[in-house]
Amino acid sequence: MHSSHSSRSSSSTRFAPDRGLTARMVSTMFFIGLLYVVFVGVLLALLRGAWPVILLLAGGLFVAQFWFSDRIAAFSMGAREVTPEQAPELHGAVDRLCALADMPKPRVAIADSDVPNAFATGRNRKNSLVCATTGLLRRLEPEELEGVLAHELSHVAHRDVAVMTIASFLGVLAGVITRVGLWGGFRRAGERDSNTAVLVVLIPLISAVVYAISFLLTRLLSRYRELSADRAGALLTGRPSALAAALTKVTGEMARIPTRDLRQAEPFNAFYFAPAFSKESFGRLLSSHPTLEQRLEQLGRISARLGRA
């Protein structure tokens, strides 16, 4: 009895806590934050004339990123909030899972896309959104859908969705700050300044490095958090086989989706339940998700463990 209480208090929901995930989230946010500070510092050193613009922009964008990144992400992925009257089955499933997990109910949305997928976004549990695509709702059985939604709600409960949402926007910020900083610096420096040519090459290069590092950091976290969400979702529902069936079905269906639709979804792979490209061409280091085999193997182990319990 005591142990179950301690696990509840550590995560404040009934989703199984994951210390490994927490450690990875803390380290990812630390390095991303450090990267952000170093990046702004380097820009300030290189573009001394534009320091007020850079500081104002860096601070403003950071605040905006924290408060609005979830809405930006949801909007970018075409999520449209729905009422219980508009989507009774989806709301019903979310209601049941939230009651089971003892967590606040997130906003519920549907994205009009034939790509069968789901995602969660939000900066905390009280300001979160869970979205399923029309393609997913059309293809999955109720039990399978619950498995997918439990996976997504686990992201919200573990707060890794907030970390991913914030971390994923660093590259965007780097690009914006660089452009404005260059513009502001050049206006003050004048076109004939001998340093201008160096800055034209150097600053985009620094920006690219910052983006690449933040990309790799988020990818490493993304793969672990997907396995963690599979595990937590399966343990919550007690039906790992339903999640495994959904995973197999969704991954198989991806091959039938037109390439154009998959390409549109690809930039948001880190947020999705399953990657929009079933065979990611960049290799394992850059992939946003563990392989289907890894995910099914883990669910198989959980199933065997639950069977023995």
Side-chain angles (χ1 to χ4, degrees):
M1 188 72 189
H2 176 72
S3 65
S4 78
H5 175 74
S6 65
S7 72
R8 277 288 310 281
S9 61
S10 66
S11 64
S12 70
T13 72
R14 289 198 186 99
F15 278 106
D18 190 326
R19 288 192 183 89
L21 179 64
T22 305
R24 281 168 174 81
M25 288 195 300
V26 169
S27 56
T28 299
M29 284 309 285
F30 172 77
F31 285 118
I32 290 236
L34 186 65
L35 199 61
Y36 191 72
V37 170
V38 169
F39 174 64
V40 171
V42 169
L43 278 189
L44 287 173
L46 290 173
L47 296 169
R48 285 184 291 273
W51 71 264
V53 179
I54 293 170
L55 277 183
L56 198 67
L57 199 67
L61 283 175
F62 186 80
V63 172
Q65 179 194 28
F66 183 76
W67 287 103
F68 302 115
S69 55
D70 57 330
R71 293 186 183 277
I72 295 166
F75 176 77
S76 303
M77 290 182 263
R80 177 179 51 85
E81 227 173 300
V82 288
T83 63
E85 291 74 33
Q86 291 170 316
E89 293 89 355
L90 183 58
H91 268 274
V94 173
D95 282 332
R96 282 191 298 278
L97 290 166
C98 286
L100 196 59
D102 191 18
M103 67 181 282
K105 184 183 177 182
R107 302 193 311 280
V108 178
I110 292 176
D112 188 17
S113 168
D114 196 41
V115 178
N117 235 320
F119 66 89
T121 181
R123 65 181 185 274
N124 55 41
R125 288 178 194 150
K126 290 179 182 173
N127 293 283
S128 58
L129 175 140
V130 171
C131 178
T133 64
T134 49
L136 186 83
L137 297 172
R138 198 163 48 244
R139 289 174 173 90
L140 295 191
E141 299 299 322
E143 268 198 1
E144 294 168 346
L145 179 63
E146 278 202 5
V148 173
L149 292 172
H151 168 106
E152 294 304 332
L153 288 171
S154 160
H155 285 317
V156 175
H158 286 151
R159 296 188 176 91
D160 59 283
V161 67
V163 173
M164 281 300 294
T165 305
I166 293 168
S168 296
F169 277 85
L170 181 74
V172 177
L173 295 186
V176 172
I177 292 171
T178 300
R179 283 193 192 94
V180 175
L182 279 171
W183 176 77
F186 290 163
R187 284 195 64 185
R188 286 166 177 77
E191 290 300 321
R192 284 173 293 182
D193 194 320
S194 59
N195 292 327
T196 303
V198 178
L199 293 177
V200 166
V201 176
L202 197 59
I203 290 180
L205 192 65
I206 292 164
S207 184
V209 169
V210 166
Y211 179 79
I213 295 170
S214 66
F215 180 85
L216 286 175
L217 284 171
T218 52
R219 282 296 187 265
L220 290 169
L221 175 63
S222 180
R223 288 198 296 278
Y224 185 90
R225 85 185 191 112
E226 292 304 326
L227 286 172
S228 176
D230 283 350
R231 184 165 56 247
L235 289 171
L236 181 79
T237 61
R239 289 194 298 266
S241 57
L243 181 55
L247 262 172
T248 307
K249 192 180 283 187
V250 166
T251 307
E253 287 291 322
M254 288 294 181
R256 297 188 179 92
I257 303 296
T259 307
R260 184 172 53 86
D261 294 347
L262 289 174
R263 282 204 182 118
Q264 284 175 350
E266 193 191 10
F268 307 107
N269 269 349
F271 290 94
Y272 282 134
F273 167 67
F277 275 125
S278 53
K279 291 180 181 174
E280 292 186 270
S281 55
F282 297 111
R284 290 184 64 177
L285 183 65
L286 301 186
S287 92
S288 58
H289 288 63
T291 63
L292 177 64
E293 290 74 21
Q294 285 175 307
R295 295 176 80 173
L296 292 179
E297 186 189 336
Q298 176 182 249
L299 290 169
R301 287 198 304 271
I302 293 169
S303 202
R305 199 164 76 234
L306 290 175
R308 286 196 300 270

